[in-house]
Amino acid sequence: LAATAAERAATAGPASPAPRIASTLLQQSRSASQSSSVPQTQRGVTAPSAMSAMQGKPLRMYMVSPDLLVDPYRPNRAWPSLRSLATRRGWKRLWRVVTRPMHELHALSMCTKMIKSGANGKSQAFTKEGFLDTAKEVYAEVNELIARGDHAKLRHLCSGSAASHVKREDKARSQGGWDRVEWKLLEHVQTPRVLQARLCSPAGDPAVSWAQFTVQFKTRETFAAYDKRGNLVAGDPEEVLVVEDAWVLEHGVGESNSKKNARWRLAARLHFPDGDGYGAGTSVVAGEEGVDADYITSPK
């Protein structure tokens, strides 16, 4: 059509603007035909290169966390009485007490053999001193992210169940009028202490297993919560709190997941009954009794 219009315009005489219009139509038709002949690979409609590279290869999946505690720590596990040994339950309890050191040694040996990284994926062989330093870093980083409400980064430092629990706590604080939380770790009163070490294989496969260490922290912290207007609603930024927590940290140690889970994560924060010890959710203010524990433990 453009060519026919150009021919007709040529016979119309020089005073007519038709030649310019016809030549413009002809150029547009040529450019359209050239663009339609461009290969599809240059128009962004081909399959992604990553998917092409995966063709013929099996899809590999792995668990980030088992989302369970194989043996939750319970303080003051006393030996069973002689009378209880007359029952099956008493013998089971005796077996757990006797085999406890063997579980500890097995977990430590697997960590020494399989774990080659520390905090934030740094290359570091497993040692007791190195683990305690890593536990301090995880404790501080997780608490700071909880105070800021940064759930996106918390997913990389917590198991699925622990992250969900933190999110529910954050939602409850928001509904209670909390808008901003200031938390600061001043110092560790004492070196973190490992209360228990266990191995967890939820599928019964040693190649897919985790080490779970229950660690006790005793720290000096400050905490304050503010509403949207900036009013203090909980805590006191000038008051120093002595807090004791018990956290379960986990790390992949199986042949299939030790490298893919190459960092320590928070698996759970334990709550101990009154008189049995302190854990996350049970904090103590030095030299003060009858303190409302709700606002003290809310950042945890």
Side-chain angles (χ1 to χ4, degrees):
L1 293 176
T4 303
E7 293 175 356
R8 293 178 179 178
T11 61
S16 175
R20 293 194 299 271
I21 299 176
S23 61
T24 303
L25 293 174
L26 184 59
Q27 292 177 0
Q28 291 179 354
S29 64
R30 287 177 179 175
S31 61
S33 62
Q34 291 176 358
S35 63
S36 62
S37 62
V38 175
Q40 290 186 346
T41 55
Q42 299 180 16
R43 300 175 65 183
V45 296
T46 57
S49 58
M51 295 298 296
S52 300
M54 291 177 59
Q55 291 181 0
K57 296 183 180 180
L59 182 62
R60 297 181 179 180
M61 300 179 65
Y62 65 94
M63 296 175 60
V64 176
S65 170
D67 272 337
L68 60 88
L69 298 183
V70 62
D71 185 14
Y73 174 77
R74 294 183 296 274
N76 301 329
R77 294 186 178 182
W79 287 78
S81 61
L82 293 176
R83 179 179 300 178
S84 65
L85 295 179
T87 63
R88 186 176 181 180
R89 182 178 180 181
W91 281 102
K92 286 185 176 181
R93 184 175 179 182
L94 177 62
W95 174 257
R96 286 195 298 268
V97 174
V98 171
T99 58
R100 186 187 310 168
M102 292 186 288
H103 289 299
E104 308 278 349
L105 292 175
H106 184 39
L108 290 173
S109 64
M110 287 297 296
C111 290
T112 304
K113 178 181 177 181
M114 302 302 298
I115 296 179
K116 304 299 180 183
S117 62
N120 299 323
K122 299 177 183 177
S123 177
Q124 175 183 345
F126 177 84
T127 61
K128 181 180 179 181
E129 294 76 14
F131 167 74
L132 294 179
D133 291 339
T134 301
K136 290 181 180 180
E137 295 179 18
V138 174
Y139 181 83
E141 188 174 1
V142 169
N143 275 314
E144 289 175 358
L145 293 176
I146 292 176
R148 297 203 307 261
D150 194 341
H151 300 286
K153 292 184 179 180
L154 275 172
R155 289 199 300 267
H156 301 286
L157 291 172
C158 303
S159 65
S161 58
S164 298
H165 185 70
V166 170
K167 196 170 184 178
R168 288 194 299 268
E169 290 180 349
D170 190 19
K171 183 178 180 180
R173 291 195 295 265
S174 299
Q175 293 176 349
W178 293 24
D179 181 66
R180 178 171 55 90
V181 174
E182 292 183 358
W183 176 88
K184 185 177 181 180
L185 174 63
L186 302 179
E187 63 175 346
H188 285 267
V189 178
Q190 63 185 22
T191 303
R193 185 165 62 98
V194 178
L195 302 178
Q196 176 177 278
R198 291 290 184 270
L199 287 180
C200 175
S201 300
D205 184 4
V208 184
S209 56
W210 286 262
Q212 294 182 341
F213 282 28
T214 304
V215 186
Q216 184 183 34
F217 301 92
K218 188 173 183 179
T219 59
R220 289 164 55 87
E221 310 170 359
T222 60
F223 158 73
Y226 302 87
D227 60 13
K228 294 183 179 180
R229 297 181 178 180
N231 299 321
L232 182 67
V233 294
D236 187 348
E238 302 298 329
E239 183 179 11
V240 178
L241 309 176
V242 177
V243 182
E244 295 191 29
D245 289 321
W247 285 17
V248 180
L249 305 179
E250 65 181 15
H251 193 297
V253 294
E255 294 181 358
S256 299
N257 68 331
S258 59
K259 295 181 179 180
K260 298 180 180 64
N261 295 275
R263 71 177 308 159
W264 288 95
R265 291 183 173 88
L266 171 64
R269 298 169 297 167
L270 302 183
H271 296 258
F272 296 145
D274 295 338
D276 287 340
Y278 301 108
T282 309
S283 305
V284 176
V285 181
E288 186 173 349
E289 298 181 357
V291 178
D292 183 7
D294 291 339
Y295 76 83
I296 299 176
T297 62
S298 292
K300 301 291 185 296

Short mmCIF file of all heavy atoms in Angstrom, two decimals, residues 88-144:
data_model
loop_
_atom_site.label_atom_id
_atom_site.label_comp_id
_atom_site.label_asym_id
_atom_site.label_seq_id
_atom_site.Cartn_x
_atom_site.Cartn_y
_atom_site.Cartn_z
N ARG A 88 8.33 -49.65 84.72
CA ARG A 88 9.01 -49.46 83.42
C ARG A 88 9.43 -48.02 83.23
O ARG A 88 10.48 -47.74 82.64
CB ARG A 88 8.05 -49.89 82.30
CG ARG A 88 8.68 -49.87 80.92
CD ARG A 88 7.68 -50.40 79.90
NE ARG A 88 8.27 -50.41 78.57
CZ ARG A 88 7.61 -50.82 77.48
NH1 ARG A 88 6.35 -51.26 77.58
NH2 ARG A 88 8.22 -50.80 76.31
N ARG A 89 8.63 -47.11 83.72
CA ARG A 89 8.95 -45.68 83.59
C ARG A 89 10.23 -45.34 84.34
O ARG A 89 11.04 -44.54 83.87
CB ARG A 89 7.79 -44.85 84.11
CG ARG A 89 7.98 -43.36 83.99
CD ARG A 89 6.76 -42.62 84.49
NE ARG A 89 6.93 -41.18 84.38
CZ ARG A 89 6.01 -40.29 84.78
NH1 ARG A 89 4.87 -40.71 85.32
NH2 ARG A 89 6.24 -39.01 84.65
N GLY A 90 10.43 -45.96 85.50
CA GLY A 90 11.64 -45.71 86.27
C GLY A 90 12.88 -46.17 85.54
O GLY A 90 13.92 -45.49 85.55
N TRP A 91 12.82 -47.34 84.88
CA TRP A 91 13.96 -47.83 84.14
C TRP A 91 14.26 -46.96 82.93
O TRP A 91 15.42 -46.75 82.57
CB TRP A 91 13.71 -49.28 83.69
CG TRP A 91 13.95 -50.25 84.80
CD1 TRP A 91 13.02 -50.89 85.58
CD2 TRP A 91 15.22 -50.69 85.27
NE1 TRP A 91 13.61 -51.69 86.50
CE2 TRP A 91 14.99 -51.60 86.33
CE3 TRP A 91 16.54 -50.42 84.93
CZ2 TRP A 91 16.01 -52.21 87.02
CZ3 TRP A 91 17.57 -51.04 85.61
CH2 TRP A 91 17.30 -51.94 86.65
N LYS A 92 13.22 -46.43 82.28
CA LYS A 92 13.45 -45.51 81.15
C LYS A 92 14.15 -44.25 81.61
O LYS A 92 15.06 -43.74 80.95
CB LYS A 92 12.12 -45.16 80.49
CG LYS A 92 11.51 -46.29 79.65
CD LYS A 92 10.26 -45.80 78.95
CE LYS A 92 9.70 -46.89 78.04
NZ LYS A 92 8.48 -46.43 77.33
N ARG A 93 13.73 -43.77 82.76
CA ARG A 93 14.37 -42.57 83.29
C ARG A 93 15.82 -42.84 83.64
O ARG A 93 16.70 -42.02 83.38
CB ARG A 93 13.60 -42.08 84.51
CG ARG A 93 14.13 -40.79 85.10
CD ARG A 93 13.24 -40.32 86.23
NE ARG A 93 13.74 -39.08 86.82
CZ ARG A 93 13.17 -38.47 87.86
NH1 ARG A 93 12.08 -39.01 88.42
NH2 ARG A 93 13.68 -37.35 88.33
N LEU A 94 16.09 -44.00 84.22
CA LEU A 94 17.47 -44.37 84.55
C LEU A 94 18.30 -44.48 83.28
O LEU A 94 19.46 -44.03 83.25
CB LEU A 94 17.48 -45.69 85.30
CG LEU A 94 18.87 -46.25 85.66
CD1 LEU A 94 19.60 -45.28 86.59
CD2 LEU A 94 18.75 -47.63 86.30
N TRP A 95 17.74 -45.02 82.22
CA TRP A 95 18.46 -45.15 80.95
C TRP A 95 18.80 -43.78 80.37
O TRP A 95 19.90 -43.57 79.86
CB TRP A 95 17.62 -45.96 79.98
CG TRP A 95 18.21 -46.04 78.59
CD1 TRP A 95 17.82 -45.36 77.49
CD2 TRP A 95 19.32 -46.85 78.19
NE1 TRP A 95 18.60 -45.67 76.42
CE2 TRP A 95 19.54 -46.59 76.82
CE3 TRP A 95 20.15 -47.75 78.86
CZ2 TRP A 95 20.54 -47.22 76.09
CZ3 TRP A 95 21.16 -48.38 78.13
CH2 TRP A 95 21.35 -48.12 76.77
N ARG A 96 17.88 -42.84 80.47
CA ARG A 96 18.15 -41.50 79.95
C ARG A 96 19.26 -40.83 80.73
O ARG A 96 20.11 -40.14 80.15
CB ARG A 96 16.88 -40.64 80.00
CG ARG A 96 15.85 -41.00 78.95
CD ARG A 96 14.81 -39.91 78.81
NE ARG A 96 14.05 -39.70 80.04
CZ ARG A 96 12.91 -40.30 80.32
NH1 ARG A 96 12.36 -41.15 79.46
NH2 ARG A 96 12.27 -40.06 81.46
N VAL A 97 19.27 -41.03 82.06
CA VAL A 97 20.31 -40.40 82.87
C VAL A 97 21.68 -41.02 82.59
O VAL A 97 22.69 -40.32 82.47
CB VAL A 97 19.96 -40.52 84.37
CG1 VAL A 97 21.11 -40.00 85.24
CG2 VAL A 97 18.69 -39.74 84.69
N VAL A 98 21.72 -42.33 82.44
CA VAL A 98 22.99 -43.02 82.21
C VAL A 98 23.55 -42.70 80.84
O VAL A 98 24.77 -42.53 80.67
CB VAL A 98 22.80 -44.55 82.39
CG1 VAL A 98 24.05 -45.31 81.95
CG2 VAL A 98 22.48 -44.88 83.84
N THR A 99 22.69 -42.63 79.82
CA THR A 99 23.17 -42.40 78.46
C THR A 99 23.38 -40.93 78.12
O THR A 99 23.82 -40.62 77.00
CB THR A 99 22.18 -43.01 77.45
OG1 THR A 99 20.88 -42.41 77.64
CG2 THR A 99 22.09 -44.51 77.64
N ARG A 100 23.06 -40.03 79.04
CA ARG A 100 23.21 -38.60 78.75
C ARG A 100 24.63 -38.23 78.35
O ARG A 100 24.84 -37.54 77.33
CB ARG A 100 22.78 -37.78 79.97
CG ARG A 100 22.76 -36.29 79.72
CD ARG A 100 22.50 -35.54 81.02
NE ARG A 100 21.36 -36.06 81.73
CZ ARG A 100 21.05 -35.74 82.98
NH1 ARG A 100 21.81 -34.90 83.64
NH2 ARG A 100 20.00 -36.25 83.57
N PRO A 101 25.68 -38.67 79.07
CA PRO A 101 27.05 -38.31 78.65
C PRO A 101 27.40 -38.85 77.27
O PRO A 101 28.14 -38.20 76.52
CB PRO A 101 27.93 -38.94 79.74
CG PRO A 101 27.03 -39.10 80.92
CD PRO A 101 25.69 -39.41 80.35
N MET A 102 26.88 -40.01 76.90
CA MET A 102 27.18 -40.56 75.59
C MET A 102 26.57 -39.71 74.48
O MET A 102 27.18 -39.51 73.42
CB MET A 102 26.68 -42.01 75.50
CG MET A 102 27.44 -42.97 76.40
SD MET A 102 26.96 -44.69 76.16
CE MET A 102 25.32 -44.68 76.91
N HIS A 103 25.36 -39.21 74.70
CA HIS A 103 24.75 -38.31 73.72
C HIS A 103 25.57 -37.03 73.57
O HIS A 103 25.74 -36.52 72.45
CB HIS A 103 23.33 -37.96 74.16
CG HIS A 103 22.36 -39.10 74.05
ND1 HIS A 103 22.06 -39.71 72.85
CD2 HIS A 103 21.61 -39.73 74.98
CE1 HIS A 103 21.17 -40.66 73.04
NE2 HIS A 103 20.89 -40.71 74.34
N GLU A 104 26.09 -36.52 74.69
CA GLU A 104 26.89 -35.31 74.63
C GLU A 104 28.15 -35.54 73.80
O GLU A 104 28.49 -34.74 72.91
CB GLU A 104 27.27 -34.88 76.05
CG GLU A 104 26.12 -34.75 77.03
CD GLU A 104 25.41 -33.43 76.90
OE1 GLU A 104 25.93 -32.54 76.21
OE2 GLU A 104 24.32 -33.28 77.49
N LEU A 105 28.85 -36.63 74.07
CA LEU A 105 30.10 -36.91 73.36
C LEU A 105 29.85 -37.16 71.88
O LEU A 105 30.64 -36.73 71.02
CB LEU A 105 30.80 -38.12 73.99
CG LEU A 105 31.35 -37.91 75.41
CD1 LEU A 105 31.90 -39.21 75.96
CD2 LEU A 105 32.41 -36.83 75.42
N HIS A 106 28.76 -37.84 71.56
CA HIS A 106 28.45 -38.13 70.15
C HIS A 106 28.17 -36.83 69.39
O HIS A 106 28.63 -36.64 68.26
CB HIS A 106 27.26 -39.07 70.07
CG HIS A 106 26.92 -39.50 68.69
ND1 HIS A 106 27.89 -39.78 67.74
CD2 HIS A 106 25.74 -39.69 68.05
CE1 HIS A 106 27.33 -40.14 66.60
NE2 HIS A 106 26.01 -40.08 66.77
N ALA A 107 27.40 -35.94 70.02
CA ALA A 107 27.10 -34.67 69.36
C ALA A 107 28.36 -33.83 69.16
O ALA A 107 28.57 -33.24 68.09
CB ALA A 107 26.07 -33.89 70.19
N LEU A 108 29.23 -33.79 70.16
CA LEU A 108 30.46 -33.02 70.04
C LEU A 108 31.38 -33.60 68.97
O LEU A 108 32.01 -32.85 68.20
CB LEU A 108 31.19 -32.99 71.39
CG LEU A 108 30.53 -32.15 72.48
CD1 LEU A 108 31.27 -32.33 73.81
CD2 LEU A 108 30.52 -30.68 72.10
N SER A 109 31.46 -34.92 68.89
CA SER A 109 32.32 -35.54 67.87
C SER A 109 31.81 -35.27 66.47
O SER A 109 32.60 -35.02 65.55
CB SER A 109 32.42 -37.05 68.13
OG SER A 109 31.15 -37.67 67.96
N MET A 110 30.49 -35.29 66.27
CA MET A 110 29.93 -35.00 64.95
C MET A 110 30.17 -33.54 64.57
O MET A 110 30.46 -33.23 63.40
CB MET A 110 28.45 -35.32 64.93
CG MET A 110 28.13 -36.80 64.92
SD MET A 110 28.74 -37.63 63.44
CE MET A 110 27.77 -36.82 62.17
N CYS A 111 30.06 -32.64 65.53
CA CYS A 111 30.32 -31.24 65.24
C CYS A 111 31.78 -31.03 64.86
O CYS A 111 32.10 -30.29 63.92
CB CYS A 111 29.97 -30.38 66.45
SG CYS A 111 28.19 -30.27 66.78
N THR A 112 32.69 -31.67 65.59
CA THR A 112 34.12 -31.53 65.27
C THR A 112 34.43 -32.08 63.89
O THR A 112 35.28 -31.53 63.16
CB THR A 112 34.96 -32.27 66.33
OG1 THR A 112 34.63 -31.76 67.63
CG2 THR A 112 36.44 -32.08 66.07
N LYS A 113 33.74 -33.12 63.49
CA LYS A 113 33.99 -33.76 62.20
C LYS A 113 33.38 -33.02 61.03
O LYS A 113 34.00 -32.87 59.97
CB LYS A 113 33.46 -35.20 62.23
CG LYS A 113 33.62 -35.95 60.92
CD LYS A 113 33.04 -37.34 61.03
CE LYS A 113 33.14 -38.08 59.70
NZ LYS A 113 32.53 -39.45 59.80
N MET A 114 32.15 -32.48 61.20
CA MET A 114 31.39 -31.97 60.06
C MET A 114 31.34 -30.46 59.95
O MET A 114 31.22 -29.92 58.85
CB MET A 114 29.95 -32.51 60.12
CG MET A 114 29.85 -34.03 60.14
SD MET A 114 30.61 -34.83 58.71
CE MET A 114 29.62 -34.16 57.37
N ILE A 115 31.41 -29.75 61.07
CA ILE A 115 31.23 -28.30 61.03
C ILE A 115 32.56 -27.62 60.70
O ILE A 115 33.55 -27.81 61.40
CB ILE A 115 30.67 -27.76 62.35
CG1 ILE A 115 29.26 -28.32 62.58
CG2 ILE A 115 30.64 -26.24 62.35
CD1 ILE A 115 28.62 -27.87 63.88
N LYS A 116 32.55 -26.83 59.64
CA LYS A 116 33.74 -26.11 59.20
C LYS A 116 33.49 -24.62 59.07
O LYS A 116 34.23 -23.93 58.37
CB LYS A 116 34.22 -26.66 57.86
CG LYS A 116 34.48 -28.16 57.86
CD LYS A 116 35.57 -28.56 58.83
CE LYS A 116 35.81 -30.07 58.81
NZ LYS A 116 36.82 -30.49 59.81
N SER A 117 32.45 -24.11 59.70
CA SER A 117 32.14 -22.69 59.58
C SER A 117 31.64 -22.16 60.91
O SER A 117 31.11 -22.90 61.73
CB SER A 117 31.08 -22.44 58.50
OG SER A 117 29.87 -23.08 58.84
N GLY A 118 31.81 -20.85 61.11
CA GLY A 118 31.35 -20.20 62.32
C GLY A 118 30.18 -19.28 62.05
O GLY A 118 29.29 -19.60 61.26
N ALA A 119 30.18 -18.11 62.67
CA ALA A 119 29.09 -17.16 62.48
C ALA A 119 29.15 -16.55 61.09
O ALA A 119 30.22 -16.34 60.53
CB ALA A 119 29.17 -16.06 63.54
N ASN A 120 27.98 -16.30 60.52
CA ASN A 120 27.86 -15.67 59.20
C ASN A 120 28.57 -16.44 58.11
O ASN A 120 29.01 -15.88 57.10
CB ASN A 120 28.40 -14.23 59.25
CG ASN A 120 27.66 -13.36 60.23
OD1 ASN A 120 26.45 -13.48 60.37
ND2 ASN A 120 28.37 -12.50 60.93
N GLY A 121 28.67 -17.77 58.28
CA GLY A 121 29.25 -18.60 57.24
C GLY A 121 30.76 -18.50 57.12
O GLY A 121 31.34 -18.96 56.14
N LYS A 122 31.45 -17.91 58.11
CA LYS A 122 32.91 -17.78 58.04
C LYS A 122 33.56 -19.15 58.18
O LYS A 122 33.09 -20.00 58.93
CB LYS A 122 33.40 -16.84 59.15
CG LYS A 122 32.85 -15.42 59.07
CD LYS A 122 33.33 -14.59 60.25
CE LYS A 122 32.71 -13.19 60.22
NZ LYS A 122 33.13 -12.40 61.41
N SER A 123 34.65 -19.34 57.45
CA SER A 123 35.37 -20.60 57.52
C SER A 123 36.05 -20.73 58.87
O SER A 123 36.91 -19.91 59.24
CB SER A 123 36.40 -20.67 56.39
OG SER A 123 37.14 -21.86 56.47
N GLN A 124 35.66 -21.73 59.63
CA GLN A 124 36.19 -21.89 60.98
C GLN A 124 35.88 -23.30 61.46
O GLN A 124 34.74 -23.76 61.43
CB GLN A 124 35.56 -20.87 61.92
CG GLN A 124 35.95 -21.02 63.38
CD GLN A 124 35.24 -20.03 64.28
OE1 GLN A 124 34.67 -19.06 63.81
NE2 GLN A 124 35.28 -20.28 65.58
N ALA A 125 36.91 -24.03 61.89
CA ALA A 125 36.72 -25.37 62.42
C ALA A 125 36.02 -25.29 63.78
O ALA A 125 36.15 -24.30 64.51
CB ALA A 125 38.06 -26.08 62.56
N PHE A 126 35.26 -26.33 64.11
CA PHE A 126 34.48 -26.31 65.34
C PHE A 126 35.39 -26.54 66.54
O PHE A 126 36.15 -27.51 66.61
CB PHE A 126 33.40 -27.39 65.30
CG PHE A 126 32.61 -27.47 66.58
CD1 PHE A 126 31.53 -26.63 66.79
CD2 PHE A 126 32.94 -28.38 67.57
CE1 PHE A 126 30.81 -26.70 67.96
CE2 PHE A 126 32.22 -28.46 68.74
CZ PHE A 126 31.15 -27.62 68.94
N THR A 127 35.30 -25.64 67.49
CA THR A 127 35.92 -25.79 68.80
C THR A 127 34.94 -25.26 69.84
O THR A 127 34.02 -24.49 69.51
CB THR A 127 37.24 -25.00 68.91
OG1 THR A 127 36.98 -23.60 68.71
CG2 THR A 127 38.26 -25.48 67.89
N LYS A 128 35.13 -25.64 71.07
CA LYS A 128 34.22 -25.19 72.13
C LYS A 128 34.31 -23.68 72.29
O LYS A 128 33.28 -23.00 72.39
CB LYS A 128 34.57 -25.88 73.45
CG LYS A 128 33.66 -25.47 74.60
CD LYS A 128 34.03 -26.17 75.89
CE LYS A 128 33.13 -25.73 77.03
NZ LYS A 128 33.49 -26.40 78.30
N GLU A 129 35.53 -23.14 72.29
CA GLU A 129 35.69 -21.70 72.44
C GLU A 129 35.10 -20.96 71.25
O GLU A 129 34.45 -19.92 71.39
CB GLU A 129 37.16 -21.34 72.61
CG GLU A 129 37.80 -21.85 73.90
CD GLU A 129 38.10 -23.34 73.85
OE1 GLU A 129 38.05 -23.92 72.73
OE2 GLU A 129 38.35 -23.92 74.93
N GLY A 130 35.33 -21.50 70.04
CA GLY A 130 34.78 -20.86 68.85
C GLY A 130 33.26 -20.88 68.83
O GLY A 130 32.62 -19.91 68.40
N PHE A 131 32.69 -21.99 69.31
CA PHE A 131 31.23 -22.07 69.36
C PHE A 131 30.65 -21.05 70.32
O PHE A 131 29.63 -20.41 70.02
CB PHE A 131 30.78 -23.47 69.75
CG PHE A 131 29.33 -23.55 70.12
CD1 PHE A 131 28.34 -23.50 69.14
CD2 PHE A 131 28.93 -23.63 71.45
CE1 PHE A 131 27.00 -23.54 69.47
CE2 PHE A 131 27.59 -23.68 71.79
CZ PHE A 131 26.62 -23.64 70.79
N LEU A 132 31.26 -20.88 71.48
CA LEU A 132 30.75 -19.91 72.45
C LEU A 132 30.83 -18.49 71.92
O LEU A 132 29.93 -17.68 72.16
CB LEU A 132 31.52 -20.05 73.77
CG LEU A 132 31.33 -21.39 74.51
CD1 LEU A 132 32.17 -21.42 75.78
CD2 LEU A 132 29.87 -21.64 74.83
N ASP A 133 31.90 -18.18 71.18
CA ASP A 133 31.98 -16.85 70.55
C ASP A 133 30.88 -16.68 69.51
O ASP A 133 30.26 -15.61 69.40
CB ASP A 133 33.35 -16.67 69.91
CG ASP A 133 34.47 -16.56 70.93
OD1 ASP A 133 34.17 -16.23 72.10
OD2 ASP A 133 35.64 -16.83 70.57
N THR A 134 30.63 -17.73 68.73
CA THR A 134 29.56 -17.67 67.73
C THR A 134 28.20 -17.53 68.40
O THR A 134 27.33 -16.79 67.92
CB THR A 134 29.57 -18.94 66.87
OG1 THR A 134 30.84 -19.06 66.22
CG2 THR A 134 28.47 -18.90 65.81
N ALA A 135 28.01 -18.22 69.54
CA ALA A 135 26.74 -18.12 70.27
C ALA A 135 26.50 -16.68 70.73
O ALA A 135 25.37 -16.18 70.68
CB ALA A 135 26.75 -19.07 71.46
N LYS A 136 27.55 -16.00 71.18
CA LYS A 136 27.41 -14.59 71.58
C LYS A 136 26.96 -13.73 70.40
O LYS A 136 26.09 -12.86 70.54
CB LYS A 136 28.73 -14.07 72.13
CG LYS A 136 29.15 -14.64 73.47
CD LYS A 136 30.46 -14.02 73.90
CE LYS A 136 30.94 -14.56 75.23
NZ LYS A 136 32.24 -13.95 75.65
N GLU A 137 27.56 -13.98 69.24
CA GLU A 137 27.22 -13.18 68.06
C GLU A 137 25.77 -13.42 67.64
O GLU A 137 25.05 -12.49 67.29
CB GLU A 137 28.17 -13.52 66.91
CG GLU A 137 29.62 -13.13 67.18
CD GLU A 137 30.53 -13.51 66.03
OE1 GLU A 137 30.02 -13.74 64.92
OE2 GLU A 137 31.75 -13.57 66.23
N VAL A 138 25.36 -14.68 67.65
CA VAL A 138 23.98 -15.00 67.28
C VAL A 138 23.00 -14.39 68.27
O VAL A 138 21.96 -13.83 67.89
CB VAL A 138 23.79 -16.53 67.19
CG1 VAL A 138 22.33 -16.88 66.95
CG2 VAL A 138 24.65 -17.10 66.07
N TYR A 139 23.32 -14.45 69.55
CA TYR A 139 22.45 -13.90 70.59
C TYR A 139 22.24 -12.40 70.38
O TYR A 139 21.11 -11.90 70.42
CB TYR A 139 23.07 -14.17 71.96
CG TYR A 139 22.27 -13.66 73.13
CD1 TYR A 139 21.20 -14.40 73.64
CD2 TYR A 139 22.57 -12.45 73.73
CE1 TYR A 139 20.46 -13.94 74.72
CE2 TYR A 139 21.85 -11.98 74.80
CZ TYR A 139 20.80 -12.73 75.31
OH TYR A 139 20.07 -12.25 76.36
N ALA A 140 23.34 -11.68 70.14
CA ALA A 140 23.24 -10.23 69.96
C ALA A 140 22.51 -9.88 68.67
O ALA A 140 21.64 -9.00 68.65
CB ALA A 140 24.64 -9.62 69.97
N GLU A 141 22.84 -10.57 67.58
CA GLU A 141 22.24 -10.25 66.28
C GLU A 141 20.75 -10.54 66.26
O GLU A 141 19.95 -9.73 65.76
CB GLU A 141 22.95 -11.02 65.18
CG GLU A 141 22.53 -10.62 63.77
CD GLU A 141 23.36 -11.29 62.70
OE1 GLU A 141 24.25 -12.10 63.05
OE2 GLU A 141 23.10 -11.02 61.51
N VAL A 142 20.35 -11.68 66.80
CA VAL A 142 18.93 -12.04 66.80
C VAL A 142 18.12 -11.06 67.64
O VAL A 142 17.04 -10.61 67.25
CB VAL A 142 18.73 -13.49 67.29
CG1 VAL A 142 17.27 -13.78 67.54
CG2 VAL A 142 19.29 -14.47 66.28
N ASN A 143 18.64 -10.71 68.82
CA ASN A 143 17.92 -9.77 69.68
C ASN A 143 17.79 -8.39 69.04
O ASN A 143 16.75 -7.73 69.17
CB ASN A 143 18.61 -9.66 71.03
CG ASN A 143 18.19 -10.75 72.00
OD1 ASN A 143 17.00 -11.03 72.14
ND2 ASN A 143 19.14 -11.37 72.65
N GLU A 144 18.82 -7.95 68.34
CA GLU A 144 18.75 -6.65 67.66
C GLU A 144 17.71 -6.68 66.55
O GLU A 144 16.95 -5.72 66.37
CB GLU A 144 20.13 -6.29 67.10
CG GLU A 144 21.15 -5.93 68.17
CD GLU A 144 22.52 -5.70 67.59
OE1 GLU A 144 22.67 -5.86 66.35
OE2 GLU A 144 23.45 -5.37 68.35
#
